[in-house]
Amino acid sequence: MIPYSHQFIDKEDADAVLAALKSDWLTQGPKVKEFELALAKYCGAKYAVAISNGTAALQAVYFTINIKKGDEIITSPLTFAATTNAAIWQGAKPVFVDINKDGNIDSDLIEKKITQKTKAIVVVDYAGLPCDFDVLKKIAKKHKLILIEDAAHSLGAEYKSAKVGSIADLTIFSFHPIKSITTGEGGAVMTNNKDFYEKLLLFRNHGITKDQNKFLNKSHGPWYYEMQELGLNYRLTDIQAALGISQLKKLPDFLKKRDMIAKNYNKELGKTEGLVLPKHSFKDRKSSRHLYPILLTGKLQSKRKDVFEFLQKNKIGVQVHYIPVYWHPYYQKLGYKKGICPKAEEWYKSEISIPIYPSLKKESQKKVIKNLKEILNGKIKN
Ligand SMILES: *Cc1c(COP(=O)(O)O)cnc(C)c1O
């Protein structure tokens, strides 16, 4: 079976984890700090806060901007449900805006959805392609909204030579095994804002501070600490951080390999009738190639399920990204109606994600291409 995504772990990674395991720290300690500094440096951001996973990182972000019941966030439905689930946990109502032809939020449609209740714009770099940040920042500034980037797909991607993680007010990453780098489970929040940074640190650790310079009341003695916010335990462990540090060193190479695979797919599949491929190059941005989404359009659209099943039967791992979030029964129950974002729905009906990951061999790519061409050409004729 060729999976649609897979982590890459080598001896160096294993040794790093083993060393952490034998150290004095198992939970959050010096390795977490080192990982945060390495992430901040890599992204060109002032602060990084490691969090137990990407979903918790999202919740931490919503907590940090003080989302309350009655607040709204504007976001795209073409994402993993965690983007909005975490906002709902903090009391917000997601307002969905349709996508553009790259699968990212259509920034031209945002302003119409802004109300007195809107607190933030939450964008997702679909498949690893950064959104239109110049436009998004202008809208956020004009309406005094916070710009949040769900960059679970886009660690290593660039917008006008700025690395993702240094662009939005708050950016989250996920280090789940299918993402750019992995820590098993893991996540992080990046920001340049000191107040946000301090609040994130509190939230991740029960709302507790041991820093006497930050105490609100007078210290009772050397044992004293204060719980100042309603936080949780969302810490990453040093074992995971050691893996993260080791993985981050390989990220430039991972990105190169992903890009080469995408280039090869574009070259080999480019002439297939009805098949829409991700663009290979953009003048102002660079994708991290987290996914390689192909769209089956025209006559092919109704054959999507057959194509998916054919590839699976031939041991090629495929996925569909994504079922529009508001189509899920939970969101339907909340009252979201189908049809509100027709382009995202059309995307869902057309899309298949084919295998892409750093260790995907040339031979496996050939197999994917050969099988795809075979089934698609057959379906075009029928
Ligand atoms: C993976 C992912 C998340 C959640 O990250 P976890 O680390 O799995 O919690 C959130 N948003 C998007 C777009 C993702 O792909």
Side-chain angles (χ1 to χ4, degrees), residues 102-135:
D102 297 321
N104 284 341
I105 195 165
D106 185 342
S107 26
D108 292 339
L109 303 177
I110 291 176
E111 283 193 283
K112 274 187 285 199
K113 298 281 182 170
I114 296 173
T115 71
Q116 288 300 317
K117 295 177 183 167
T118 311
K119 198 104 182 220
I121 302 171
V122 184
V123 301
V124 181
D125 301 323
Y126 178 85
L129 184 71
C131 297
D132 300 332
F133 284 105
D134 280 353
V135 183

PDB file of all heavy atoms in Angstrom, residues 102-135:
ATOM      1  N   ASP A 102      -7.959  28.402  -5.546  1.00  0.00           N
ATOM      2  CA  ASP A 102      -6.860  27.639  -4.948  1.00  0.00           C
ATOM      3  C   ASP A 102      -7.313  26.803  -3.744  1.00  0.00           C
ATOM      4  O   ASP A 102      -6.523  26.066  -3.165  1.00  0.00           O
ATOM      5  CB  ASP A 102      -5.753  28.589  -4.453  1.00  0.00           C
ATOM      6  CG  ASP A 102      -5.130  29.371  -5.599  1.00  0.00           C
ATOM      7  OD1 ASP A 102      -4.945  28.777  -6.677  1.00  0.00           O
ATOM      8  OD2 ASP A 102      -4.839  30.570  -5.409  1.00  0.00           O
ATOM      9  N   GLY A 103      -8.558  26.987  -3.326  1.00  0.00           N
ATOM     10  CA  GLY A 103      -9.039  26.254  -2.143  1.00  0.00           C
ATOM     11  C   GLY A 103      -8.891  27.048  -0.859  1.00  0.00           C
ATOM     12  O   GLY A 103      -9.237  26.563   0.215  1.00  0.00           O
ATOM     13  N   ASN A 104      -8.353  28.274  -0.958  1.00  0.00           N
ATOM     14  CA  ASN A 104      -8.247  29.132   0.231  1.00  0.00           C
ATOM     15  C   ASN A 104      -9.458  30.051   0.325  1.00  0.00           C
ATOM     16  O   ASN A 104     -10.194  30.218  -0.651  1.00  0.00           O
ATOM     17  CB  ASN A 104      -6.974  29.990   0.142  1.00  0.00           C
ATOM     18  CG  ASN A 104      -5.726  29.175   0.454  1.00  0.00           C
ATOM     19  OD1 ASN A 104      -5.808  28.108   1.061  1.00  0.00           O
ATOM     20  ND2 ASN A 104      -4.580  29.675   0.026  1.00  0.00           N
ATOM     21  N   ILE A 105      -9.626  30.674   1.482  1.00  0.00           N
ATOM     22  CA  ILE A 105     -10.752  31.587   1.671  1.00  0.00           C
ATOM     23  C   ILE A 105     -10.713  32.682   0.590  1.00  0.00           C
ATOM     24  O   ILE A 105      -9.633  33.173   0.237  1.00  0.00           O
ATOM     25  CB  ILE A 105     -10.725  32.205   3.096  1.00  0.00           C
ATOM     26  CG1 ILE A 105     -12.050  32.869   3.451  1.00  0.00           C
ATOM     27  CG2 ILE A 105      -9.552  33.179   3.277  1.00  0.00           C
ATOM     28  CD1 ILE A 105     -12.215  33.161   4.938  1.00  0.00           C
ATOM     29  N   ASP A 106     -11.872  33.031   0.035  1.00  0.00           N
ATOM     30  CA  ASP A 106     -11.951  34.079  -0.985  1.00  0.00           C
ATOM     31  C   ASP A 106     -11.999  35.424  -0.264  1.00  0.00           C
ATOM     32  O   ASP A 106     -13.033  35.810   0.275  1.00  0.00           O
ATOM     33  CB  ASP A 106     -13.200  33.863  -1.846  1.00  0.00           C
ATOM     34  CG  ASP A 106     -13.274  34.853  -2.999  1.00  0.00           C
ATOM     35  OD1 ASP A 106     -12.568  35.895  -2.944  1.00  0.00           O
ATOM     36  OD2 ASP A 106     -14.038  34.585  -3.943  1.00  0.00           O
ATOM     37  N   SER A 107     -10.880  36.131  -0.270  1.00  0.00           N
ATOM     38  CA  SER A 107     -10.810  37.356   0.541  1.00  0.00           C
ATOM     39  C   SER A 107     -11.799  38.426   0.077  1.00  0.00           C
ATOM     40  O   SER A 107     -12.197  39.269   0.874  1.00  0.00           O
ATOM     41  CB  SER A 107      -9.390  37.906   0.619  1.00  0.00           C
ATOM     42  OG  SER A 107      -8.636  37.529  -0.476  1.00  0.00           O
ATOM     43  N   ASP A 108     -12.236  38.364  -1.185  1.00  0.00           N
ATOM     44  CA  ASP A 108     -13.217  39.348  -1.678  1.00  0.00           C
ATOM     45  C   ASP A 108     -14.587  39.182  -1.017  1.00  0.00           C
ATOM     46  O   ASP A 108     -15.420  40.075  -1.101  1.00  0.00           O
ATOM     47  CB  ASP A 108     -13.403  39.207  -3.195  1.00  0.00           C
ATOM     48  CG  ASP A 108     -12.149  39.625  -3.947  1.00  0.00           C
ATOM     49  OD1 ASP A 108     -11.328  40.362  -3.360  1.00  0.00           O
ATOM     50  OD2 ASP A 108     -11.978  39.189  -5.102  1.00  0.00           O
ATOM     51  N   LEU A 109     -14.831  38.032  -0.435  1.00  0.00           N
ATOM     52  CA  LEU A 109     -16.164  37.784   0.148  1.00  0.00           C
ATOM     53  C   LEU A 109     -16.214  38.033   1.656  1.00  0.00           C
ATOM     54  O   LEU A 109     -17.272  37.944   2.276  1.00  0.00           O
ATOM     55  CB  LEU A 109     -16.586  36.326  -0.119  1.00  0.00           C
ATOM     56  CG  LEU A 109     -16.613  35.876  -1.582  1.00  0.00           C
ATOM     57  CD1 LEU A 109     -16.981  34.395  -1.673  1.00  0.00           C
ATOM     58  CD2 LEU A 109     -17.602  36.708  -2.398  1.00  0.00           C
ATOM     59  N   ILE A 110     -15.071  38.369   2.229  1.00  0.00           N
ATOM     60  CA  ILE A 110     -15.005  38.472   3.694  1.00  0.00           C
ATOM     61  C   ILE A 110     -15.776  39.669   4.240  1.00  0.00           C
ATOM     62  O   ILE A 110     -16.576  39.531   5.179  1.00  0.00           O
ATOM     63  CB  ILE A 110     -13.528  38.505   4.170  1.00  0.00           C
ATOM     64  CG1 ILE A 110     -12.876  37.137   3.919  1.00  0.00           C
ATOM     65  CG2 ILE A 110     -13.447  38.873   5.659  1.00  0.00           C
ATOM     66  CD1 ILE A 110     -11.397  37.080   4.257  1.00  0.00           C
ATOM     67  N   GLU A 111     -15.546  40.844   3.660  1.00  0.00           N
ATOM     68  CA  GLU A 111     -16.103  42.065   4.269  1.00  0.00           C
ATOM     69  C   GLU A 111     -17.618  42.033   4.420  1.00  0.00           C
ATOM     70  O   GLU A 111     -18.153  42.556   5.393  1.00  0.00           O
ATOM     71  CB  GLU A 111     -15.651  43.307   3.494  1.00  0.00           C
ATOM     72  CG  GLU A 111     -14.210  43.654   3.851  1.00  0.00           C
ATOM     73  CD  GLU A 111     -13.787  45.032   3.378  1.00  0.00           C
ATOM     74  OE1 GLU A 111     -13.521  45.161   2.174  1.00  0.00           O
ATOM     75  OE2 GLU A 111     -13.739  45.957   4.217  1.00  0.00           O
ATOM     76  N   LYS A 112     -18.294  41.403   3.466  1.00  0.00           N
ATOM     77  CA  LYS A 112     -19.764  41.296   3.542  1.00  0.00           C
ATOM     78  C   LYS A 112     -20.233  40.550   4.790  1.00  0.00           C
ATOM     79  O   LYS A 112     -21.369  40.675   5.220  1.00  0.00           O
ATOM     80  CB  LYS A 112     -20.284  40.523   2.317  1.00  0.00           C
ATOM     81  CG  LYS A 112     -20.526  41.420   1.108  1.00  0.00           C
ATOM     82  CD  LYS A 112     -21.201  40.626  -0.011  1.00  0.00           C
ATOM     83  CE  LYS A 112     -20.167  39.717  -0.648  1.00  0.00           C
ATOM     84  NZ  LYS A 112     -20.432  39.193  -1.963  1.00  0.00           N
ATOM     85  N   LYS A 113     -19.349  39.709   5.347  1.00  0.00           N
ATOM     86  CA  LYS A 113     -19.746  38.866   6.482  1.00  0.00           C
ATOM     87  C   LYS A 113     -19.347  39.459   7.828  1.00  0.00           C
ATOM     88  O   LYS A 113     -19.631  38.881   8.877  1.00  0.00           O
ATOM     89  CB  LYS A 113     -19.111  37.474   6.343  1.00  0.00           C
ATOM     90  CG  LYS A 113     -19.545  36.726   5.104  1.00  0.00           C
ATOM     91  CD  LYS A 113     -20.918  36.128   5.302  1.00  0.00           C
ATOM     92  CE  LYS A 113     -21.306  35.332   4.066  1.00  0.00           C
ATOM     93  NZ  LYS A 113     -22.503  34.550   4.275  1.00  0.00           N
ATOM     94  N   ILE A 114     -18.657  40.581   7.797  1.00  0.00           N
ATOM     95  CA  ILE A 114     -18.215  41.189   9.052  1.00  0.00           C
ATOM     96  C   ILE A 114     -19.395  41.895   9.728  1.00  0.00           C
ATOM     97  O   ILE A 114     -20.131  42.628   9.081  1.00  0.00           O
ATOM     98  CB  ILE A 114     -17.042  42.175   8.804  1.00  0.00           C
ATOM     99  CG1 ILE A 114     -15.828  41.398   8.283  1.00  0.00           C
ATOM    100  CG2 ILE A 114     -16.688  42.950  10.070  1.00  0.00           C
ATOM    101  CD1 ILE A 114     -14.661  42.267   7.846  1.00  0.00           C
ATOM    102  N   THR A 115     -19.567  41.619  11.020  1.00  0.00           N
ATOM    103  CA  THR A 115     -20.627  42.279  11.790  1.00  0.00           C
ATOM    104  C   THR A 115     -19.998  42.873  13.051  1.00  0.00           C
ATOM    105  O   THR A 115     -18.795  42.733  13.278  1.00  0.00           O
ATOM    106  CB  THR A 115     -21.722  41.274  12.238  1.00  0.00           C
ATOM    107  OG1 THR A 115     -21.151  40.428  13.262  1.00  0.00           O
ATOM    108  CG2 THR A 115     -22.238  40.426  11.103  1.00  0.00           C
ATOM    109  N   GLN A 116     -20.835  43.483  13.888  1.00  0.00           N
ATOM    110  CA  GLN A 116     -20.363  44.009  15.182  1.00  0.00           C
ATOM    111  C   GLN A 116     -19.770  42.903  16.053  1.00  0.00           C
ATOM    112  O   GLN A 116     -18.966  43.180  16.941  1.00  0.00           O
ATOM    113  CB  GLN A 116     -21.561  44.640  15.936  1.00  0.00           C
ATOM    114  CG  GLN A 116     -22.044  45.963  15.350  1.00  0.00           C
ATOM    115  CD  GLN A 116     -20.964  47.031  15.356  1.00  0.00           C
ATOM    116  OE1 GLN A 116     -20.242  47.169  16.333  1.00  0.00           O
ATOM    117  NE2 GLN A 116     -20.822  47.761  14.257  1.00  0.00           N
ATOM    118  N   LYS A 117     -20.217  41.671  15.800  1.00  0.00           N
ATOM    119  CA  LYS A 117     -19.791  40.564  16.659  1.00  0.00           C
ATOM    120  C   LYS A 117     -18.490  39.912  16.201  1.00  0.00           C
ATOM    121  O   LYS A 117     -17.911  39.094  16.921  1.00  0.00           O
ATOM    122  CB  LYS A 117     -20.874  39.478  16.663  1.00  0.00           C
ATOM    123  CG  LYS A 117     -22.185  39.935  17.282  1.00  0.00           C
ATOM    124  CD  LYS A 117     -23.195  38.811  17.159  1.00  0.00           C
ATOM    125  CE  LYS A 117     -24.542  39.209  17.690  1.00  0.00           C
ATOM    126  NZ  LYS A 117     -25.577  38.230  17.293  1.00  0.00           N
ATOM    127  N   THR A 118     -18.044  40.246  14.987  1.00  0.00           N
ATOM    128  CA  THR A 118     -16.853  39.581  14.455  1.00  0.00           C
ATOM    129  C   THR A 118     -15.614  39.958  15.259  1.00  0.00           C
ATOM    130  O   THR A 118     -15.387  41.134  15.535  1.00  0.00           O
ATOM    131  CB  THR A 118     -16.623  39.960  12.976  1.00  0.00           C
ATOM    132  OG1 THR A 118     -17.849  39.802  12.274  1.00  0.00           O
ATOM    133  CG2 THR A 118     -15.547  39.090  12.346  1.00  0.00           C
ATOM    134  N   LYS A 119     -14.855  38.937  15.622  1.00  0.00           N
ATOM    135  CA  LYS A 119     -13.672  39.164  16.444  1.00  0.00           C
ATOM    136  C   LYS A 119     -12.384  38.841  15.668  1.00  0.00           C
ATOM    137  O   LYS A 119     -11.361  39.467  15.882  1.00  0.00           O
ATOM    138  CB  LYS A 119     -13.760  38.225  17.652  1.00  0.00           C
ATOM    139  CG  LYS A 119     -12.889  38.605  18.783  1.00  0.00           C
ATOM    140  CD  LYS A 119     -13.699  39.234  19.881  1.00  0.00           C
ATOM    141  CE  LYS A 119     -12.835  39.669  21.019  1.00  0.00           C
ATOM    142  NZ  LYS A 119     -13.464  39.397  22.308  1.00  0.00           N
ATOM    143  N   ALA A 120     -12.474  37.844  14.806  1.00  0.00           N
ATOM    144  CA  ALA A 120     -11.249  37.398  14.127  1.00  0.00           C
ATOM    145  C   ALA A 120     -11.562  36.820  12.758  1.00  0.00           C
ATOM    146  O   ALA A 120     -12.668  36.350  12.509  1.00  0.00           O
ATOM    147  CB  ALA A 120     -10.546  36.342  14.985  1.00  0.00           C
ATOM    148  N   ILE A 121     -10.538  36.872  11.897  1.00  0.00           N
ATOM    149  CA  ILE A 121     -10.592  36.162  10.619  1.00  0.00           C
ATOM    150  C   ILE A 121      -9.609  35.004  10.768  1.00  0.00           C
ATOM    151  O   ILE A 121      -8.448  35.211  11.135  1.00  0.00           O
ATOM    152  CB  ILE A 121     -10.165  37.076   9.451  1.00  0.00           C
ATOM    153  CG1 ILE A 121     -11.059  38.318   9.385  1.00  0.00           C
ATOM    154  CG2 ILE A 121     -10.204  36.316   8.133  1.00  0.00           C
ATOM    155  CD1 ILE A 121     -10.566  39.378   8.394  1.00  0.00           C
ATOM    156  N   VAL A 122     -10.108  33.799  10.528  1.00  0.00           N
ATOM    157  CA  VAL A 122      -9.283  32.608  10.717  1.00  0.00           C
ATOM    158  C   VAL A 122      -9.089  31.946   9.360  1.00  0.00           C
ATOM    159  O   VAL A 122     -10.052  31.424   8.784  1.00  0.00           O
ATOM    160  CB  VAL A 122      -9.959  31.624  11.691  1.00  0.00           C
ATOM    161  CG1 VAL A 122      -9.052  30.432  11.955  1.00  0.00           C
ATOM    162  CG2 VAL A 122     -10.334  32.321  12.995  1.00  0.00           C
ATOM    163  N   VAL A 123      -7.879  32.013   8.832  1.00  0.00           N
ATOM    164  CA  VAL A 123      -7.661  31.479   7.496  1.00  0.00           C
ATOM    165  C   VAL A 123      -6.864  30.184   7.567  1.00  0.00           C
ATOM    166  O   VAL A 123      -6.120  29.942   8.514  1.00  0.00           O
ATOM    167  CB  VAL A 123      -6.949  32.509   6.586  1.00  0.00           C
ATOM    168  CG1 VAL A 123      -7.795  33.775   6.477  1.00  0.00           C
ATOM    169  CG2 VAL A 123      -5.547  32.834   7.076  1.00  0.00           C
ATOM    170  N   VAL A 124      -7.044  29.357   6.554  1.00  0.00           N
ATOM    171  CA  VAL A 124      -6.369  28.061   6.483  1.00  0.00           C
ATOM    172  C   VAL A 124      -5.576  28.035   5.182  1.00  0.00           C
ATOM    173  O   VAL A 124      -6.132  28.328   4.119  1.00  0.00           O
ATOM    174  CB  VAL A 124      -7.413  26.918   6.463  1.00  0.00           C
ATOM    175  CG1 VAL A 124      -6.733  25.553   6.415  1.00  0.00           C
ATOM    176  CG2 VAL A 124      -8.355  27.018   7.656  1.00  0.00           C
ATOM    177  N   ASP A 125      -4.292  27.723   5.255  1.00  0.00           N
ATOM    178  CA  ASP A 125      -3.478  27.622   4.034  1.00  0.00           C
ATOM    179  C   ASP A 125      -3.712  26.231   3.448  1.00  0.00           C
ATOM    180  O   ASP A 125      -2.930  25.296   3.702  1.00  0.00           O
ATOM    181  CB  ASP A 125      -1.996  27.834   4.358  1.00  0.00           C
ATOM    182  CG  ASP A 125      -1.737  29.185   4.999  1.00  0.00           C
ATOM    183  OD1 ASP A 125      -2.388  30.172   4.614  1.00  0.00           O
ATOM    184  OD2 ASP A 125      -0.855  29.252   5.894  1.00  0.00           O
ATOM    185  N   TYR A 126      -4.767  26.130   2.674  1.00  0.00           N
ATOM    186  CA  TYR A 126      -5.196  24.817   2.181  1.00  0.00           C
ATOM    187  C   TYR A 126      -4.084  24.132   1.370  1.00  0.00           C
ATOM    188  O   TYR A 126      -3.527  24.728   0.453  1.00  0.00           O
ATOM    189  CB  TYR A 126      -6.462  24.982   1.326  1.00  0.00           C
ATOM    190  CG  TYR A 126      -6.959  23.686   0.734  1.00  0.00           C
ATOM    191  CD1 TYR A 126      -7.790  22.838   1.468  1.00  0.00           C
ATOM    192  CD2 TYR A 126      -6.578  23.299  -0.547  1.00  0.00           C
ATOM    193  CE1 TYR A 126      -8.224  21.632   0.927  1.00  0.00           C
ATOM    194  CE2 TYR A 126      -7.010  22.103  -1.087  1.00  0.00           C
ATOM    195  CZ  TYR A 126      -7.832  21.276  -0.344  1.00  0.00           C
ATOM    196  OH  TYR A 126      -8.263  20.088  -0.883  1.00  0.00           O
ATOM    197  N   ALA A 127      -3.805  22.897   1.710  1.00  0.00           N
ATOM    198  CA  ALA A 127      -2.803  22.061   1.027  1.00  0.00           C
ATOM    199  C   ALA A 127      -1.377  22.605   1.158  1.00  0.00           C
ATOM    200  O   ALA A 127      -0.444  22.049   0.594  1.00  0.00           O
ATOM    201  CB  ALA A 127      -3.159  21.859  -0.445  1.00  0.00           C
ATOM    202  N   GLY A 128      -1.231  23.719   1.900  1.00  0.00           N
ATOM    203  CA  GLY A 128       0.110  24.277   2.115  1.00  0.00           C
ATOM    204  C   GLY A 128       0.357  25.581   1.383  1.00  0.00           C
ATOM    205  O   GLY A 128       1.440  26.153   1.474  1.00  0.00           O
ATOM    206  N   LEU A 129      -0.668  26.065   0.663  1.00  0.00           N
ATOM    207  CA  LEU A 129      -0.504  27.325  -0.078  1.00  0.00           C
ATOM    208  C   LEU A 129      -0.957  28.515   0.775  1.00  0.00           C
ATOM    209  O   LEU A 129      -2.126  28.596   1.153  1.00  0.00           O
ATOM    210  CB  LEU A 129      -1.324  27.289  -1.377  1.00  0.00           C
ATOM    211  CG  LEU A 129      -1.133  28.524  -2.252  1.00  0.00           C
ATOM    212  CD1 LEU A 129       0.242  28.543  -2.889  1.00  0.00           C
ATOM    213  CD2 LEU A 129      -2.218  28.612  -3.321  1.00  0.00           C
ATOM    214  N   PRO A 130      -0.042  29.446   1.082  1.00  0.00           N
ATOM    215  CA  PRO A 130      -0.437  30.599   1.892  1.00  0.00           C
ATOM    216  C   PRO A 130      -1.566  31.411   1.239  1.00  0.00           C
ATOM    217  O   PRO A 130      -1.641  31.512   0.016  1.00  0.00           O
ATOM    218  CB  PRO A 130       0.847  31.428   1.976  1.00  0.00           C
ATOM    219  CG  PRO A 130       1.946  30.438   1.760  1.00  0.00           C
ATOM    220  CD  PRO A 130       1.402  29.450   0.774  1.00  0.00           C
ATOM    221  N   CYS A 131      -2.431  31.962   2.091  1.00  0.00           N
ATOM    222  CA  CYS A 131      -3.551  32.799   1.617  1.00  0.00           C
ATOM    223  C   CYS A 131      -3.023  34.148   1.123  1.00  0.00           C
ATOM    224  O   CYS A 131      -1.835  34.431   1.191  1.00  0.00           O
ATOM    225  CB  CYS A 131      -4.536  33.017   2.766  1.00  0.00           C
ATOM    226  SG  CYS A 131      -5.290  31.491   3.343  1.00  0.00           S
ATOM    227  N   ASP A 132      -3.957  35.021   0.673  1.00  0.00           N
ATOM    228  CA  ASP A 132      -3.600  36.383   0.176  1.00  0.00           C
ATOM    229  C   ASP A 132      -3.339  37.303   1.347  1.00  0.00           C
ATOM    230  O   ASP A 132      -4.217  38.108   1.695  1.00  0.00           O
ATOM    231  CB  ASP A 132      -4.818  37.078  -0.463  1.00  0.00           C
ATOM    232  CG  ASP A 132      -5.388  36.351  -1.605  1.00  0.00           C
ATOM    233  OD1 ASP A 132      -4.634  35.646  -2.253  1.00  0.00           O
ATOM    234  OD2 ASP A 132      -6.593  36.548  -1.859  1.00  0.00           O
ATOM    235  N   PHE A 133      -2.201  37.268   1.941  1.00  0.00           N
ATOM    236  CA  PHE A 133      -2.041  37.977   3.215  1.00  0.00           C
ATOM    237  C   PHE A 133      -2.069  39.494   3.122  1.00  0.00           C
ATOM    238  O   PHE A 133      -2.516  40.143   4.061  1.00  0.00           O
ATOM    239  CB  PHE A 133      -0.831  37.450   3.988  1.00  0.00           C
ATOM    240  CG  PHE A 133      -1.129  36.139   4.628  1.00  0.00           C
ATOM    241  CD1 PHE A 133      -0.630  34.965   4.124  1.00  0.00           C
ATOM    242  CD2 PHE A 133      -2.004  36.084   5.710  1.00  0.00           C
ATOM    243  CE1 PHE A 133      -0.966  33.739   4.688  1.00  0.00           C
ATOM    244  CE2 PHE A 133      -2.347  34.869   6.290  1.00  0.00           C
ATOM    245  CZ  PHE A 133      -1.827  33.700   5.777  1.00  0.00           C
ATOM    246  N   ASP A 134      -1.628  40.049   2.000  1.00  0.00           N
ATOM    247  CA  ASP A 134      -1.699  41.522   1.891  1.00  0.00           C
ATOM    248  C   ASP A 134      -3.139  41.994   2.021  1.00  0.00           C
ATOM    249  O   ASP A 134      -3.451  42.933   2.751  1.00  0.00           O
ATOM    250  CB  ASP A 134      -1.107  41.997   0.565  1.00  0.00           C
ATOM    251  CG  ASP A 134       0.417  42.032   0.614  1.00  0.00           C
ATOM    252  OD1 ASP A 134       0.969  41.813   1.716  1.00  0.00           O
ATOM    253  OD2 ASP A 134       1.041  42.272  -0.436  1.00  0.00           O
ATOM    254  N   VAL A 135      -4.019  41.338   1.280  1.00  0.00           N
ATOM    255  CA  VAL A 135      -5.443  41.705   1.291  1.00  0.00           C
ATOM    256  C   VAL A 135      -6.049  41.414   2.668  1.00  0.00           C
ATOM    257  O   VAL A 135      -6.749  42.249   3.247  1.00  0.00           O
ATOM    258  CB  VAL A 135      -6.215  40.917   0.200  1.00  0.00           C
ATOM    259  CG1 VAL A 135      -7.673  41.336   0.155  1.00  0.00           C
ATOM    260  CG2 VAL A 135      -5.544  41.079  -1.157  1.00  0.00           C
TER     261      VAL A 135
END
